[in-house]
Amino acid sequence: MIKFDKIQQLLERESLDALLVMSAENRRYLSEFTGSSGALIITKESRFLMSDFRYKAQGAEQAEEFEFILQEKGLLESIVSFMNSKGLKRIGFEGEHVNYNTYSQLSKSFDVVPLTGEVEKIRLIKTDEELDLIIKACEIADQSYEYILTYVKAGMTELEVKNELEAHMTSLGASGPSFDTIVASGHRGALPHGVASDKVIEDGDMVTLDFGAWYKGYASDITRTFAVGSVSPEMEEIYNIVLESQLKSLDEIKAGMTGKEADSIARDVISAKGHGEHFGHSLGHGLGLEVHELPGLSQKSTMTLEPGMVITIEPGIYVDGLGGVRIEDDAVVTEKGLKKLTHSSKKLFIV
């Protein structure tokens, strides 16, 4: 498998005896093991999954490419004992996921090498199987948005809308929301991460919904903004600016661009319309086993977009005291450009 070939290249490049993987997402990606506790130990010759007795059968069934090792004591103590028994000396670990105590214990016995983001870089290019799961998560989000437009009305609270939306996603097969659902109405729309509150949605409010579904471990992430009862000329103008910037980004972003170049496509449109100061976050991010993963689409990102990466495109304008608009789609990078994975209408609905 390609991912293990890349792990072997990493072991050779860093002169490692083994790679230790402890983060849940990287553990799942490499082994398909979904248990809540465990570690992978990958050497040039072998692959091991260590976990406790709760996951003995599950680990053996899911992690077919790994030999299951039953931990006899605490996980970290068992890892140290096992690697010592195998004569392993130079160990690579996930620099951004291992806490100080774990690092301290490992460094007492091994020559440890922090490898920040190395497994995440392998995860950048999605397999066909991963894409199928992300597409299903996107379908659930699309269908749930279509449903919630028939449900929302003035007088409801943002929390009522959130609860109904999440329940509907679950009814369609999601294991749950992929993050804390944002429902930001009226003046709260100026909060880019305005998670649902007990605010009552009023006639004349714009409502921003930012939500997603988990489906078999993979996430979707979509944002739509709509109006309740009526929409003011000022907010309609803002909506059209955001939509123009989002459509231009979807049309022009392609493989070979850097994250900064992609971000600039939307940012230039919004700035030209006089709202540059009101677009304060990045254009998008990677999506997969995590809602936010590589690559980043921001003014700081020098990473080059490649075919097979899944990204979000989500420009927004936020005006304090007035409200905000964000429109977001998920897309996969191809040789020819972006292929959208979310398809909900971006017409300005008035419910």
Side-chain angles (χ1 to χ4, degrees):
M1 298 176 70
I2 294 175
K3 57 188 174 184
F4 292 124
D5 291 341
K6 291 183 177 180
I7 293 295
Q8 288 302 317
Q9 292 170 10
L10 175 63
L11 293 174
E12 292 176 8
R13 186 177 76 238
E14 300 294 335
S15 300
L16 301 174
D17 294 328
L19 173 66
L20 174 64
V21 177
M22 302 185 72
S23 69
E25 291 81 13
N26 288 341
R27 190 174 63 221
R28 178 170 186 160
Y29 175 74
L30 292 171
S31 71
E32 300 188 15
F33 174 62
T34 62
S36 63
S37 177
L40 306 181
I41 301 166
I42 303 174
T43 71
K44 294 176 182 177
E45 296 81 23
S46 305
R47 304 170 192 146
F48 304 99
L49 164 63
M50 178 176 288
S51 189
D52 61 65
F53 74 97
R54 295 173 298 169
Y55 297 116
K56 184 175 181 180
Q58 178 181 335
E61 178 182 353
Q62 292 180 329
E64 296 179 349
E65 301 287 336
F66 288 73
E67 178 183 346
F68 185 85
I69 304 297
L70 182 65
Q71 69 181 70
E72 300 294 342
K73 302 174 183 178
L75 179 59
L76 182 56
E77 187 178 358
S78 297
I79 289 169
V80 171
S81 177
F82 178 78
M83 293 197 300
N84 275 325
S85 74
K86 293 294 182 180
L88 305 175
K89 301 295 185 184
R90 185 173 167 84
I91 310 298
F93 70 94
E94 304 156 290
E96 72 274 45
H97 297 299
V98 170
N99 62 35
Y100 177 78
N101 287 338
T102 299
Y103 167 78
S104 180
Q105 289 299 312
L106 291 172
S107 62
K108 290 178 181 178
S109 300
F110 309 103
D111 176 15
V112 290
V113 181
L115 301 169
T116 300
E118 291 293 341
V119 180
E120 284 80 357
K121 290 176 185 175
I122 298 172
R123 284 167 44 192
L124 276 167
I125 309 302
K126 292 346 187 225
T127 64
D128 290 343
E129 292 78 12
E130 288 181 294
L131 278 175
D132 286 343
L133 296 176
I134 295 171
I135 288 169
K136 180 60 178 178
C138 289
E139 289 174 353
I140 291 171
D142 279 334
Q143 292 172 30
S144 298
Y145 178 66
E146 182 178 344
Y147 165 75
I148 208 66
L149 288 176
T150 69
Y151 175 83
V152 177
K153 59 184 178 182
M156 289 181 173
T157 66
E158 294 172 348
L159 282 169
E160 286 179 284
V161 175
K162 168 191 171 174
N163 292 338
E164 184 70 17
L165 179 63
E166 293 181 352
H168 193 77
M169 287 194 293
T170 303
S171 75
L172 294 176
S175 57
S178 52
F179 54 92
D180 199 0
T181 297
I182 291 170
V183 184
S185 62
H187 67 277
R188 294 190 73 253
L191 304 173
H193 279 186
V195 296
S197 72
D198 58 4
K199 177 191 174 300
V200 174
I201 297 172
E202 301 175 6
D203 188 77
D205 278 353
M206 294 285 277
V207 181
T208 296
L209 287 181
D210 187 347
F211 63 99
W214 283 122
Y215 182 75
K216 296 186 178 180
Y218 284 81
S220 57
D221 182 3
I222 183 174
T223 306
R224 292 292 186 269
T225 303
F226 60 91
V228 177
S230 62
V231 57
S232 70
E234 188 173 10
M235 288 305 299
E236 185 173 7
E237 179 185 12
I238 288 174
Y239 187 94
N240 289 332
I241 293 169
V242 173
L243 180 59
E244 179 185 346
S245 72
Q246 208 249 3
L247 292 176
K248 185 176 176 65
S249 299
L250 288 168
D251 186 55
E252 296 185 6
I253 292 173
K254 58 186 178 182
M257 282 185 173
T258 64
K260 179 178 180 179
E261 290 170 332
D263 179 274
S264 293
I265 293 172
R267 197 166 301 280
D268 288 349
V269 172
I270 292 174
S271 295
K273 301 289 187 178
H275 285 283
E277 66 180 300
H278 299 138
F279 180 21
H281 58 72
S282 63
L283 176 62
H285 53 82
L287 184 71
L289 283 166
E290 296 178 272
V291 178
H292 290 86
E293 57 182 48
L294 295 175
L297 278 65
S298 74
Q299 288 297 293
K300 296 180 180 179
S301 176
T302 59
M303 181 173 286
T304 300
L305 299 179
E306 299 178 34
M309 294 179 175
V310 175
I311 59 176
T312 67
I313 305 296
E314 49 180 305
I317 292 175
Y318 314 91
V319 182
D320 289 344
L322 178 64
V325 172
R326 182 166 64 256
I327 302 172
E328 174 186 20
D329 281 305
D330 303 335
V332 59
V333 181
T334 75
E335 294 284 1
K336 298 180 180 180
L338 295 183
K339 179 181 178 181
K340 280 203 309 164
L341 303 180
T342 44
H343 304 284
S344 296
S345 173
K346 285 175 279 196
K347 172 186 175 184
L348 177 51
F349 279 99
I350 301 176
V351 301

